[in-house]
Amino acid sequence: MRKKIVAGNWKMNNDLAETEMFLVELKKQVFPENVVLMLAPPFTNLNHAFKSLREHNVEIAAQNMHQSNDGAFTGEISAKMLKSVGAKTVIVGHSERRAIFNEDNAVLAEKVNTALENEMTIIFCIGEELEDRKKENHFKLVKTQLEEGLFHVSNDSWESIIIAYEPVWAIGTGETASPEQAQEMHKFIRKTIAENYSKAIAEKVSILYGGSVKPDNAAEIFGQDDVDGGLIGGASLQVDSFMKIVNSF
Ligand code: PEP
């Protein structure tokens, strides 16, 4: 059985006091046993969140990392540093990193390697822009993102990989892919993994959907055969909406 996962990506939101307020509220909740919960606060709050949630079955993820293990990279954070503060998982290739910080498939492939070397779990994000979809180029683009960013990894590495399909036109826009559009792409991603690796590996990998998931649309999206959960931005900033989504399976 594939893991069901809901991961909250806070992006550049919540300072230490706001994080603490969220955590106090979160710890009052009852977490479903069949869902893995993850939270990706900003770097500055990773350790605080890790210590606070240690007893609560919520994993801590980082939103990004540098591809080098150390060195003269002012302002950057390494995998080793992330692990030392409790983040075992890292988001790689979020569309905002790709678009705003010019991270291309080649650099993302390096980040994947470094994360794996450091025994981290990766949430690898892929997804097309609206223009790609209008031109019906979305399957090809997603396939290229997989081939160039991820498909160099070994069979064993798939134990540490989660995919997040996030159509860029649906992120933070209030516009969601329909459940059918999400299912169609998730099925395609799984088929592509099966063709490049094996059916057994493809059947085991969790593929999350991201893009304006809210309490009122989560159940329908999560109900699709190949959707194993969500990467949640805006709606993960409030405990109430985050928990409603977590409880949508
Ligand atoms: C995201 O940041 O990965 C995301 C999906 O954001 P939102 O849920 O706000 O669209």
Side-chain angles (χ1 to χ4, degrees):
M1 257 264 283
R2 289 195 290 273
K3 274 190 202 159
K4 296 186 189 314
I5 301 169
V6 177
N9 172 21
W10 282 3
K11 314 191 186 198
M12 199 172 71
N13 292 295
N14 286 343
D15 65 13
L16 188 59
E18 290 158 341
T19 298
E20 176 56 14
M21 272 178 356
F22 180 99
L23 295 173
V24 166
E25 203 45 45
L26 185 69
K27 286 190 285 187
K28 294 180 192 160
Q29 311 298 314
V30 178
F31 304 127
E33 287 192 358
N34 61 336
V35 184
V36 177
L37 258 76
M38 293 186 182
L39 211 54
F43 289 136
T44 48
N45 301 331
L46 285 172
N47 193 232
H48 182 73
F50 169 68
K51 285 182 176 157
S52 172
L53 293 171
R54 209 195 293 253
E55 311 290 314
H56 291 267
N57 246 339
V58 181
E59 293 179 21
I60 299 302
Q63 298 173 20
N64 179 36
M65 54 165 253
H66 194 265
Q67 60 273 26
S68 297
N69 277 316
D70 47 42
F73 301 105
T74 302
E76 292 292 331
I77 306 279
S78 72
K80 186 169 167 232
M81 292 169 190
L82 295 177
K83 283 183 74 183
S84 75
V85 295
K88 287 192 307 192
T89 299
V90 60
I91 299 173
V92 173
H94 191 279
S95 63
E96 286 150 18
R97 301 292 322 169
R98 290 177 186 263
I100 305 169
F101 300 98
N102 302 319
E103 293 189 4
D104 59 15
N105 292 332
V107 91
L108 297 176
E110 287 184 52
K111 290 190 184 210
V112 164
N113 292 342
T114 307
L116 291 173
E117 267 164 45
N118 284 277
E119 297 179 346
M120 296 187 80
T121 297
I122 297 165
I123 300 178
F124 190 76
C125 300
I126 50 179
E128 81 283 0
E129 307 262 354
L130 188 55
E131 277 307 299
D132 302 308
R133 189 164 271 268
K134 280 188 184 155
K135 289 186 200 144
E136 297 191 1
N137 194 33
H138 45 301
F139 292 112
K140 190 160 174 268
L141 184 118
V142 161
K143 192 168 180 216
T144 304
Q145 289 175 331
L146 287 167
E147 285 170 350
E148 295 184 1
L150 198 59
F151 279 179
H152 59 282
V153 303
S154 68
N155 285 7
D156 290 349
S157 300
W158 283 91
E159 292 287 337
S160 310
I161 291 168
I162 299 161
I163 305 272
Y165 167 60
E166 302 203 299
V168 181
W169 47 272
I171 297 181
T173 57
E175 180 123 9
T176 331
S178 68
E180 293 74 24
Q181 284 172 321
Q183 168 57 22
E184 185 185 36
M185 184 58 90
H186 282 225
K187 191 173 170 189
F188 172 77
I189 293 166
R190 209 177 294 288
K191 179 169 112 355
T192 307
I193 297 169
E195 284 165 3
N196 284 269
Y197 287 88
S198 69
K199 195 160 187 311
I201 288 176
E203 283 303 321
K204 259 185 97 179
V205 63
S206 295
I207 308 178
L208 315 184
Y209 170 81
S212 298
V213 176
K214 306 280 179 232
D216 60 0
N217 60 22
E220 216 186 336
I221 296 171
F222 293 174
Q224 303 301 308
D225 283 353
D226 286 289
V227 178
D228 305 306
L231 181 55
I232 318 297
S236 72
L237 293 169
Q238 266 78 44
V239 172
D240 181 52
S241 50
F242 186 54
M243 285 310 297
K244 282 188 177 137
I245 293 171
V246 167
N247 285 309
S248 292
F249 289 96

